[in-house]
Amino acid sequence: MTAASLPFVAAYRPPAPVPHAAPLKPRQYIRALTDNPLTIWTQAQFEELYIQIDGRLLGPRLIINDPEGIRHVLVDNEANYLRDDLQKRILTRTIGLGLFAAEGQAWRAQRRILAPLFAPRAVGGFLPAMVEAAAAGARRLAALPEGSVIDAAPMMSAIALDVLERTLFREGFGVPLAELSRHSNAFIEGAGGVSLLDLFGLPSWIPTWRALRAHRSRRFIGDMVDRMVAERRARLAAGAAGTGEGEIRDLLALLLDAADRETGIGLSNREVRDNVLTFIGAGHETTAGALAWTLLLLSGAPDVRAAVEAEIDSVLGAGPVTAETVADLVLTRAAIEEAMRLYPSAPFLGRAAVKDDVIGGRPVKAGTIVMIVPWIIHRHQRLWSDPGLFDPGRFLPGRRDLIPRYAYLPFGAGPRVCIGSVFALQEAVVVLANALRDHRFDLVEGARIEPTQRITLRARHGIPMRVSRRR
Ligand code: HEM
């Protein structure tokens, strides 16, 4: 299918916070930032390419919406831009110092160790496992009574965790996936937001209501990760003693192998543990979110949904998703890519300038927080035509090439680009195709959909969908 042969007219404008006409007053700003950072933005930020903010509270900041400026920060001069302190604080208390949060030499070593698992060939090898997890998810749907209401986000989250168990963590998590999904959700909800302590740089051990609520879930996940690492270490040690048959070369094996090397560039125990946490967190919540938002969008645009269903029927028939068929699901993939434009799982990429620099002709002082905000860039008036409209045609052959590389950043860009991007897209297409093959999802009438930022983009009250059988 090409953009020129579309069987639908884009007409659906999905829910999003309305930008403010003028900047918020400091108290309103802090309230909005700690409640939902998506609600701090002004209309000008969706129209200008650079916005300098000399805020007294948070220091000098520069919002960059110019694709050239973004390339400068994320690619050309990336060594001068490290994750900012606020982001580091939130990352450290959620996923620790794994690949996502590490910098410099520690980051380079971890990325090199883990890269082989995410190379396109390795990801292609994960396809059958992804298909099995997606089919198991579809069977759970089939077992529901007709017309049942489910929340799309936890449903997708359980499938994405199953994918991780069958690919990156092949000895499993050792806990029921629904329970892990529930704790992960509660943990991110509790620990993943910006608190007043964060804004004022106060010690993070001061208890806050949100942190207390997340405590039980933090313990559940931490204990689970410790058990996974300890059990695998014990097995590897047995292997070293000559009984290591069936050793599994998954993420944990790569991490532990690197940790055991004596070259000095291996991983510390903390790095191993934090990377397990990182890949569970970054590896399921984001993809599950993209899928849940896609279901919402398709429910709001029945013409597009009918076209996606027709594509799935004609490409897959009754057969499974394979390497060939996955490539032919072009509209299905385009719908997911458009969902990641409107609802990017990572809505904010923050950096801090290490040394003075010049971006787009503007002097930038060391210490300036440089804000690259996919939430804004993907809805920017100067970068997209009718940006608020759900139109998967933008990502079909013929129009896809017109999108400037740095105007579409669901996975970031440059050396810190998402290591799991190929994995995530393949997984998303496989899971969506399996879910839509036999079932239709309709947003429950009157449901309140409120996009909210808690590290990732989430729906504050969930995405309740009624599931009916398509055939
Ligand atoms: C739709 C799904 C996903 C989205 C939208 C997404 C988004 C992103 C973005 C925007 C970044 C860059 C952040 C920055 O530059 O500040 C990133 C980094 C990362 N992502 Fe993803 N991600 C997804 C899926 C995954 C998956 C499936 C995995 C692993 C299984 C993963 C693991 C990571 C890791 C470890 C990093 C840090 C990479 C580094 O700094 O070297 N992500 N992701």
Side-chain angles (χ1 to χ4, degrees), residues 391-406:
D391 178 8
R394 303 176 204 270
F395 290 91
L396 286 175
R399 279 174 72 192
R400 180 77 166 84
D401 296 344
L402 305 178
I403 300 171
R405 167 65 188 92
Y406 300 97

Side-chain angles (χ1 to χ4, degrees), residues 74 83 87 98-102 107 111 114 118 164 168 251 275 278-291 336 340 344-351 374 409-413 415-421 423-425 427-428:
L74 295 182
R83 294 200 194 288
Q87 202 185 163
L99 184 63
F100 204 104
W107 169 76
R111 183 106 187 183
L114 296 171
F118 296 95
L164 287 188
L168 303 187
L251 186 99
N275 268 305
T278 296
F279 278 85
I280 295 173
H284 91 280
E285 160 80 12
T286 44
T287 317
L291 282 161
I336 294 165
M340 291 195 299
S345 295
F348 179 93
L349 314 177
R351 301 287 195 268
L409 299 162
F411 295 109
R416 303 297 299 244
V417 71
C418 175
I419 196 171
S421 63
F423 183 104
L425 258 180
E427 171 183 352

